[in-house]
Amino acid sequence: MKHLDEYRDPSQVKALLREIEELVSQPWVIMEICGGQTHSFLRHGLDALLPPQIELVHGPGCPVCVTPLEQIDKAITIASRPEVIFTSYGDMLRVPGSGTDLFSVRAKGGDVRVVYSPLEAVQLAEAHPDKEVVFFAIGFETTAPANAMAVLLAQRKGIRNFSMITAQVRVPPAMEAILQAKSCRVQGFLAAGHVCAVMGFHEYLPLAEKYQVPIVVTGFEPIDLLQGLYATIKQLEGGQAQVENQYQRAVSEQGNQAAQQSIQTAFRAVDRKWRGIGTIPKSGWGLRPELAAFDAELKFEVQDLISQESPLCIAGEILQGLKKTWECPAFGKKCTPQNPLGAPMVSSEGACAAYYRYHR
Ligand code: SF4
């Protein structure tokens, strides 16, 4: 397949693996930020082909996994109301809340629908003026522009029966929280290429300098990942700590300015709780005060809801690179994709789901 095969060429993969093996002289712990990168490493079997000195740890870049339990319980509460059409991306429907999930709400007669874009939710609101249409706005910087455009469109058209639960998160504050932790083992990062396609990589420059850590913006195909790893290891072996851009076909330093402008118009940086990790300062986007009429938590008065995590789930430690999925006593036993205890076993980007699926 054009534009894909060239990044999966086996001879180039072999050559890169050989170069990495020749380069590495000591153990290094490297975190790939994005769950899509985790799945790609495992799907293509690359993790098993790396020299034993390279330890990959899996970062928090799975939006479904880090959406806090409270937000899921709020979604379930709102979706259960008879006047509501609740809309969400498909992954979120199976994520367990404290007692149930959105699929179960639908099975009991709730109007819960999967959409592929927040703009579909705005269209639903226009088509059903007698209903309240709520969109579950999760994701990193990649989904934020579309979510911003949806709420700005609803405002421009005067659509008052549209609102959103906002659980948008930002990557750089999460990386900083990982680096600040006393238990941090991460020595280098593969930054998420698609996030940087929107935001650029200028936000990573102060992080690399302050924490003396190499950060390589990396894509998702086998050759991308191995080139990203090679560049990270080369910096580590040479005592360097810089930001490099492996994903030049999609990423520039300043990113997509129009998309960033939409985000800034609709959202402001807020402290955000990450599931299993805790609150990270300025790590999320919340609706600006002038858009409060579109805030579903205020509209349905669920902002004070508090929830309790399953004591078995160690997802927070996994998402910070402190533990591996197989160290969770519930992995593959009490927790499976059919009966998940935590979000990383549900999401298509979740580390637990990747290890379960690819039998690691
Ligand atoms: S295997 Fe299940 S319970 Fe264990 S950390 Fe992963 S999602 Fe949580």
Side-chain angles (χ1 to χ4, degrees), residues 312-315 318 325 328-332 335-336 340-345 352:
L312 290 177
C313 185
I314 62 162
I318 292 171
T325 52
C328 173
F331 176 76
C335 183
T336 63
L341 291 182
M345 189 54 96
C352 301

Side-chain angles (χ1 to χ4, degrees), residues 207-273:
L207 280 179
E209 191 177 337
K210 182 174 173 185
Y211 296 96
Q212 284 300 292
V213 62
I215 302 173
V216 179
V217 179
T218 301
F220 300 86
E221 293 301 322
I223 287 171
D224 293 324
L225 293 167
L226 293 176
Q227 284 178 344
L229 272 182
Y230 180 85
T232 310
I233 296 164
K234 191 169 180 196
Q235 284 200 46
L236 287 166
E237 292 280 345
Q240 292 178 302
Q242 291 170 358
V243 178
E244 276 182 69
N245 182 12
Q246 180 280 330
Y247 205 33
Q248 289 181 17
R249 65 186 185 278
V251 173
S252 65
E253 182 168 345
Q254 296 307 318
N256 183 331
Q257 311 262 320
Q260 291 169 35
Q261 187 56 49
S262 300
I263 294 170
Q264 294 303 331
T265 307
F267 299 127
R268 64 196 164 114
V270 294
D271 297 349
R272 176 77 70 213
K273 190 171 177 185

Side-chain angles (χ1 to χ4, degrees), residues 123-150:
Q123 286 166 357
L124 271 174
E126 270 188 300
H128 299 277
D130 54 325
K131 292 280 193 179
E132 284 290 337
V133 176
V134 181
F135 176 69
F136 202 173
I138 66 152
F140 284 84
E141 291 92 330
T142 38
T143 56
N147 293 344
M149 283 192 293

Side-chain angles (χ1 to χ4, degrees), residues 57-71:
V57 291
H58 316 307
C62 159
V64 172
C65 305
V66 299
T67 299
L69 192 61
E70 280 91 350
Q71 299 293 91

